[in-house]
Amino acid sequence: MTDKNQSEFEVLLHAHRAIVFKTVNTYCWRTEDRDDLAQEIAAQLWKAWPKYDVSRTFTTWMYRITLNVAISFVRREVQHRRFFMPFEEELHEAIPLLPDDSDAADRMVRLRRFIAREPPFEKALLLLYLEDKPQKEIAAILGITPTNVSTKINRLKQRIRTEI
């Protein structure tokens, strides 16, 4: 790989690093897990970079890889945690709450708990929806149809209304 390709990758990764941070924070509660997942995502993006098809948007390509790596990471962690569960993990929040509005803070806690209980695919769908991604882009990232995206989002919204 040429230095130009490497620097182009670095610029794009830096410009869109929020995708990695949001995904990592959605799928991991513990700091060390977030660090491990972010590193794994960066490594997989770098590994896939030579095969990047410029006819697709970079962010769609990046989201697809990022979410696939995150889902695989969670599956490995679930298997691992069946035998090893860190003590007091449930007592700590991953993202500090803003103290200004206690009602909003309470809703955020309940939403985070709802998202934490969801399977990896639904977490990915919620993350992309909360990012205001268009349905077509969500469909391309997750490998489902736009109609399926709409249906799944509506079902999740209904569950959020009833459970939260």
Side-chain angles (χ1 to χ4, degrees):
M1 184 167 292
T2 67
D3 288 339
K4 181 182 184 273
N5 285 339
Q6 181 177 348
S7 62
E8 183 180 354
F9 173 78
E10 289 171 359
V11 167
L12 286 168
L13 182 61
H14 182 73
H16 301 288
R17 67 187 180 275
I19 291 171
V20 174
F21 295 136
K22 290 171 190 168
T23 302
V24 165
N25 284 316
T26 299
Y27 282 87
C28 298
W29 289 83
R30 298 182 319 151
T31 303
E32 57 270 17
D33 289 342
R34 289 193 300 265
D35 294 343
D36 290 345
L37 180 55
Q39 185 174 16
E40 179 67 22
I41 288 169
Q44 292 303 318
L45 287 167
W46 174 249
K47 185 177 176 181
W49 176 245
K51 297 175 193 141
Y52 169 62
D53 178 5
V54 294
S55 68
R56 298 178 68 184
T57 64
F58 180 78
T59 56
T60 299
W61 174 84
M62 186 176 180
Y63 258 121
R64 189 162 196 153
I65 291 171
T66 300
L67 291 170
N68 284 333
V69 172
I71 289 168
S72 295
F73 181 86
V74 168
R75 286 182 182 145
R76 282 192 313 273
E77 283 299 305
V78 166
Q79 291 290 16
H80 176 74
R81 291 202 179 142
R82 285 186 180 160
F83 302 105
F84 306 103
M85 182 62 163
F87 188 67
E88 297 183 23
E89 180 179 354
E90 300 298 324
L91 298 178
H92 301 284
E93 289 292 329
I95 302 170
L97 297 173
L98 299 174
D100 297 350
D101 184 357
S102 64
D103 188 42
D106 181 53
R107 286 193 311 269
M108 282 299 290
V109 167
R110 287 185 281 148
L111 179 60
R112 280 194 215 126
R113 286 184 182 146
F114 176 86
I115 292 171
R117 290 189 308 265
E118 290 302 298
F121 184 84
E122 281 71 14
K123 279 184 188 179
L125 183 63
L126 282 168
L127 172 69
L128 295 168
Y129 175 74
L130 292 172
E131 282 287 309
D132 290 326
K133 295 291 179 193
Q135 284 187 0
K136 282 186 176 183
E137 187 174 353
I138 294 172
I141 291 167
L142 297 177
I144 60 177
T145 66
T147 304
N148 201 351
V149 168
S150 178
T151 301
K152 288 181 177 294
I153 287 173
N154 285 330
R155 288 179 183 159
L156 282 167
K157 283 180 180 177
Q158 184 58 41
R159 285 188 43 230
I160 288 170
R161 282 186 204 103
T162 58
E163 293 180 28
I164 296 180

